[in-house]
Amino acid sequence: MPGIKDVARLADVSVSTVSYVLSGKRSISAKTTDRVMQAIEQLGYTPDASGQRLRGRRNHIIALSEPIRKDMNQAQYSAYFMQAAFQARKAGYDVLLLGAEDAVSDIQRVTRGNLVDGVVLLDVMENDSRAAAADTFAKPSVAIGYPHVHEACACIDIDFTALGEIASRKLYDLGHRRVALLRSLEVNYQRGVGYMLLFRDSFLKHCAKLGIKVIESEEVTINFNAERFVHEVVLGPEAPTAIVSQSNADILNIVFDTLGNLGVRVPQDLSIISCGTYMQGEMPRYPVSELPLDPEGLCCKIIDVLVDSIENKRDIRGLVELTEPQYIDRGSLGLAASAPRKGGDNKRM
Amino acid sequence: MPGIKDVARLADVSVSTVSYVLSGKRSISAKTTDRVMQAIEQLGYTPDASGQRLRGRRNHIIALSEPIRKDMNQAQYSAYFMQAAFQARKAGYDVLLLGAEDAVSDIQRVTRGNLVDGVVLLDVMENDSRAAAADTFAKPSVAIGYPHVHEACACIDIDFTALGEIASRKLYDLGHRRVALLRSLEVNYQRGVGYMLLFRDSFLKHCAKLGIKVIESEEVTINFNAERFVHEVVLGPEAPTAIVSQSNADILNIVFDTLGNLGVRVPQDLSIISCGTYMQGEMPRYPVSELPLDPEGLCCKIIDVLVDSIENKRDIRGLVELTEPQYIDRGSLGLAASAPRKGGDNKRM
DNA sequence: TTGTACGCGTTATCAG
DNA sequence: CTGATAACGCGTACAA
């Protein structure tokens, strides 16, 4: 393994000259530059990472903390860390994946040991031990999410309170006064996945204010029967004119299938809107209008903020940035149906 | 940030003594040890990672190379890298995620710069540029997969040739002589995803040998109509007694739904077996017997091999380990139906 | 049992 | 514009 000294010797210059040629932090004559570059190629020289970070105090590594859980929706979270990794690379940073049981001590270890320059917290819950312990990390940290305790880290997320309001407003303006809320997997609420709770609370509150009646689905577990949900709730006595879904593409597919079999047209007879979901990462078989999550946009912003903090030593503790939700119209949300539902008495099933 | 020198000064010993107290590679008197430990705690000292790897030549970091692709099945691959990360941590290694466009130069950079001790190649294709360039990596590498060119890296995977043979044998023993093959997403074959091709080729070959007639589905693209597949192929003139699926849970769900609506019972009227899939990571709504992928088992073995190579300087270039497929009975595979299919003329759809 | 010196690459500083 | 040197932090071979 050739070192910088070997290069210097071969090019007949000093080590500092080689270093300056590589970094460009000093102007070096073209002739010298040529000789050095030639020596580097000839020897196949690559600087050793440990030496590089000795001086600069920067590793160009960002830690990504993702607590390992059996029940995690892998499809969804992988979108976040692939995006975060991609954006980090664009900014010139490698990504260290942390997934140990004890996330807090893991982050302490890599930040205090100067192994990483900063930390991204993924899959953040309302009561997140990592966010709460962020003051014990020796490097800046950013959470995707909005935990209760966040004095020592930055928080970046979609504004899910606004999302609940926008959704209720949109339904109201289209004339909907009775809507069904299709819940997400129960385990998410129980675990305290912040955004799902935030959206639901905000949505229910604003619906109450606007006079929209919300009929909630029963708790969605792994054995949830989406067909029965359609028959009992959607076609039930309360006759909602829209479904607001927090659920995943699999369940939504069954809902669409069931409605199709019953001859219920979307959106003429019934509107559907999906909120706080990310259908691009799943496989919906029917287009559904959405107030979606935004892994790409968020990760882009998160890395921006973190890198800025690292490189310009900006203090980002306590920073909170909630971005405006963006509605995507895919044609499943329309005016509230007033006439009796076509095919409503179709007994095919 | 206190350094080892500060600790040494406070404990009134030399830096080497502090180092040996931490590593335990020399016997130090209890009195000295106490003083040193006290100083360490008092200062909150954590060794700096860059210094640590200066001498030891070991970073305790493993690189995970995952080429970023738009069309990748995120749910599936995330299972591999979460597992790899988990197993690596168990062995005391951190994981650096590599996902740049040019994977080869990325790996060269981190291996030649001594940033990582070894490399795991994920999502390996038959003609994989990374495996082919493994001789230019300065550290040992292991591929999950079985690329054509693999002289310079180790390859660990399930034996998909055996998997094809076992599947055909199993079907044959249960009396099946006509089976439908439900292909995976076409893009996987086109891209050269090794295991899918290996299984398919082996399965077709062994079926031919055993006299099993295989009716293949049309190419599966994003617009694939699984209902039509059931109507045209499964209930078509050739009347296969089993479906062998390489497809995902979403498509399989539709197949089950369609069969259910038609009154075709599984496995009494029709058997279904899924091969080279990983249903635990997806959301199948019906239990399906499977000759599955095994992210956990493979990642465990891969990290074992790689860590052994790193720590004992074992040369693993060219090593190939193909593990025996394990059949999981979930009740969807049974004796070939001989009587005319119940509900076969049901015209509900 | 303890101290000293070395190695890695970058960069501030001083000297040409 | 370029060269020489020291310092940064740690582990460990070697000397004492």
Side-chain angles (χ1 to χ4, degrees):
Chain A
M1 267 290 144
I4 197 170
K5 279 193 286 203
D6 303 295
V7 177
R9 206 178 312 130
L10 184 60
D12 198 32
V13 294
S14 73
V15 288
S16 56
T17 304
V18 176
S19 184
Y20 286 123
V21 165
L22 260 342
S23 70
K25 298 208 177 182
R26 249 200 205 177
S27 54
I28 304 281
S29 71
K31 219 191 298 178
T32 310
T33 302
D34 273 0
R35 271 217 318 285
V36 171
M37 291 309 286
Q38 219 173 328
I40 285 173
E41 275 184 45
Q42 197 175 323
L43 295 172
Y45 166 72
T46 311
D48 185 282
S50 31
Q52 284 190 306
R53 71 183 55 128
L54 198 52
R55 196 60 201 225
R57 218 85 300 257
R58 202 146 301 152
N59 305 305
H60 284 275
I61 300 182
I62 287 173
L64 234 55
S65 167
E66 166 78 39
I68 287 184
R69 271 195 276 275
K70 297 274 143 57
D71 59 323
M72 70 185 251
N73 180 337
Q74 297 175 324
Q76 201 151 109
Y77 296 124
S78 78
Y80 282 99
F81 60 70
M82 289 314 286
Q83 272 301 327
F86 186 68
Q87 299 294 339
R89 276 305 305 156
K90 278 213 308 199
Y93 283 75
D94 283 309
V95 165
L96 194 74
L97 195 55
L98 299 181
E101 307 280 326
D102 186 352
V104 170
S105 64
D106 225 23
I107 299 173
Q108 285 170 342
R109 179 177 58 85
V110 297
T111 54
R112 301 175 56 145
N114 281 318
L115 183 51
V116 302
D117 302 319
V119 184
V120 173
L121 307 177
L122 295 177
D123 196 9
V124 169
M125 296 175 301
E126 294 210 300
N127 291 298
D128 197 278
S129 58
R130 297 167 296 167
D135 58 335
T136 68
F137 305 157
K139 305 285 172 179
S141 52
V142 185
I144 305 193
Y146 191 26
H148 285 146
V149 181
H150 57 259
E151 281 73 30
C153 70
C155 299
I156 295 183
D157 206 350
I158 287 173
D159 188 342
F160 286 99
T161 304
L163 202 149
E165 183 172 3
I166 291 168
S168 62
R169 186 85 232 169
K170 219 171 250 300
L171 289 162
Y172 183 85
D173 290 344
L174 289 166
H176 297 274
R177 294 295 178 273
R178 293 181 314 282
V179 305
L181 177 60
L182 176 53
R183 293 161 67 91
S184 180
L185 278 176
E186 204 55 28
V187 69
N188 290 323
Y189 303 108
Q190 280 163 6
R191 221 177 61 200
V193 173
Y195 75 87
M196 296 202 175
L197 296 163
L198 279 177
F199 164 75
R200 181 171 165 278
D201 291 350
S202 164
F203 180 70
L204 293 177
K205 199 185 77 185
H206 285 99
C207 281
K209 202 180 287 176
L210 293 168
I212 299 175
K213 161 129 201 187
V214 180
I215 308 114
E216 266 196 277
S217 71
E218 64 177 5
E219 298 193 348
V220 176
T221 63
I222 194 74
N223 296 317
F224 180 71
N225 188 327
E227 288 194 22
R228 205 175 61 199
F229 163 73
V230 170
H231 283 88
E232 294 184 0
V233 177
V234 181
L235 307 180
E238 310 244 38
T241 56
I243 297 175
V244 177
S245 172
Q246 282 193 278
S247 211
N248 59 35
D250 287 304
I251 286 177
L252 223 41
N253 283 337
I254 308 174
V255 169
F256 271 101
D257 282 341
T258 309
L259 291 172
N261 288 339
L262 293 168
V264 177
R265 296 166 307 169
V266 175
Q268 293 93 331
D269 305 320
L270 182 74
S271 284
I272 301 186
I273 179 172
S274 186
C275 295
T277 52
Y278 181 58
M279 291 296 162
Q280 273 153 312
E282 305 191 54
M283 289 192 73
R285 295 206 302 282
Y286 306 89
V288 57
S289 297
E290 195 177 16
L291 278 158
L293 301 175
D294 181 19
E296 188 170 347
L298 284 180
C299 289
C300 193
K301 177 166 275 183
I302 273 148
I303 299 296
D304 272 358
V305 168
L306 189 57
V307 168
D308 179 47
S309 165
I310 292 166
E311 300 189 346
N312 306 316
K313 287 174 187 142
R314 276 217 311 140
D315 185 0
I316 53 171
R317 283 175 296 181
L319 178 78
V320 174
E321 277 196 40
L322 301 178
T323 70
E324 197 68 12
Q326 299 299 321
Y327 176 67
I328 298 181
D329 184 0
R330 298 201 184 94
S332 72
L333 179 61
L335 285 169
S338 47
R341 216 168 261 143
K342 211 181 158 178
D345 56 349
N346 186 319
K347 285 284 183 279
R348 265 182 176 171
M349 291 301 292
Chain B
M1 264 293 140
I4 197 169
K5 277 193 287 202
D6 302 294
V7 177
R9 206 178 312 132
L10 185 61
D12 198 32
V13 295
S14 74
V15 289
S16 60
T17 305
V18 177
S19 183
Y20 286 123
V21 166
L22 260 343
S23 70
K25 298 209 175 179
R26 251 197 207 175
S27 55
I28 305 279
S29 71
K31 219 190 300 178
T32 311
T33 303
D34 273 359
R35 273 216 317 286
V36 169
M37 291 309 285
Q38 217 173 330
I40 286 173
E41 275 183 45
Q42 197 176 322
L43 295 172
Y45 165 73
T46 310
D48 185 285
S50 32
Q52 284 190 306
R53 74 182 53 127
L54 199 54
R55 198 90 235 138
R57 223 84 297 257
R58 204 147 298 151
N59 305 304
H60 284 275
I61 301 181
I62 287 173
L64 231 58
S65 167
E66 165 77 41
I68 287 185
R69 272 193 277 275
K70 297 274 144 55
D71 59 322
M72 70 184 248
N73 181 338
Q74 297 173 323
Q76 201 152 111
Y77 295 124
S78 78
Y80 281 99
F81 56 69
M82 289 316 284
Q83 273 301 326
F86 185 68
Q87 301 294 339
R89 275 305 305 155
K90 279 213 307 199
Y93 284 75
D94 282 308
V95 163
L96 194 74
L97 195 55
L98 299 181
E101 307 281 324
D102 185 352
V104 170
S105 64
D106 225 23
I107 299 173
Q108 285 170 341
R109 179 177 59 86
V110 297
T111 54
R112 301 174 56 145
N114 282 317
L115 183 52
V116 303
D117 302 319
V119 184
V120 173
L121 307 177
L122 295 178
D123 194 11
V124 169
M125 296 175 300
E126 293 209 301
N127 291 298
D128 196 276
S129 57
R130 296 166 297 167
D135 59 333
T136 68
F137 304 157
K139 305 284 170 179
S141 53
V142 186
I144 305 192
Y146 191 27
H148 286 147
V149 180
H150 56 259
E151 281 74 30
C153 69
C155 299
I156 295 184
D157 207 350
I158 287 175
D159 188 341
F160 286 98
T161 306
L163 202 149
E165 182 171 3
I166 291 168
S168 62
R169 187 84 232 169
K170 218 168 252 298
L171 289 161
Y172 183 86
D173 290 345
L174 289 166
H176 296 274
R177 294 296 177 271
R178 293 180 315 284
V179 304
L181 177 59
L182 176 52
R183 295 161 66 91
S184 180
L185 278 176
E186 203 54 29
V187 68
N188 291 323
Y189 303 107
Q190 280 163 7
R191 221 176 63 199
V193 173
Y195 76 87
M196 295 203 177
L197 296 163
L198 280 177
F199 164 75
R200 181 172 166 277
D201 291 350
S202 165
F203 180 70
L204 293 177
K205 199 184 79 187
H206 285 99
C207 280
K209 201 181 288 176
L210 292 168
I212 299 176
K213 161 130 199 183
V214 179
I215 308 114
E216 264 196 278
S217 71
E218 65 178 4
E219 298 192 349
V220 176
T221 62
I222 194 73
N223 296 317
F224 180 70
N225 188 329
E227 289 193 22
R228 206 174 62 199
F229 164 74
V230 171
H231 283 89
E232 293 184 0
V233 177
V234 182
L235 307 180
E238 309 244 38
T241 56
I243 297 175
V244 177
S245 171
Q246 283 192 277
S247 210
N248 58 35
D250 287 304
I251 285 175
L252 221 44
N253 282 337
I254 308 175
V255 169
F256 271 101
D257 283 340
T258 308
L259 291 172
N261 288 338
L262 293 168
V264 177
R265 296 166 307 170
V266 176
Q268 293 92 331
D269 305 321
L270 183 73
S271 284
I272 301 187
I273 179 173
S274 186
C275 295
T277 51
Y278 180 58
M279 291 295 162
Q280 273 154 311
E282 305 192 55
M283 289 193 70
R285 293 205 303 281
Y286 306 89
V288 56
S289 296
E290 195 178 15
L291 278 159
L293 302 175
D294 181 18
E296 188 170 347
L298 284 180
C299 289
C300 193
K301 177 165 273 182
I302 274 149
I303 299 296
D304 273 358
V305 167
L306 189 56
V307 168
D308 179 46
S309 164
I310 292 166
E311 300 190 346
N312 306 318
K313 287 174 186 144
R314 277 217 310 142
D315 186 359
I316 53 171
R317 282 174 297 180
L319 177 78
V320 174
E321 277 195 41
L322 302 178
T323 70
E324 196 69 12
Q326 299 299 320
Y327 176 67
I328 297 181
D329 185 0
R330 298 203 184 92
S332 72
L333 179 62
L335 284 169
S338 48
R341 216 168 261 144
K342 210 182 162 180
D345 57 348
N346 186 320
K347 283 285 183 280
R348 265 184 179 171
M349 294 299 294

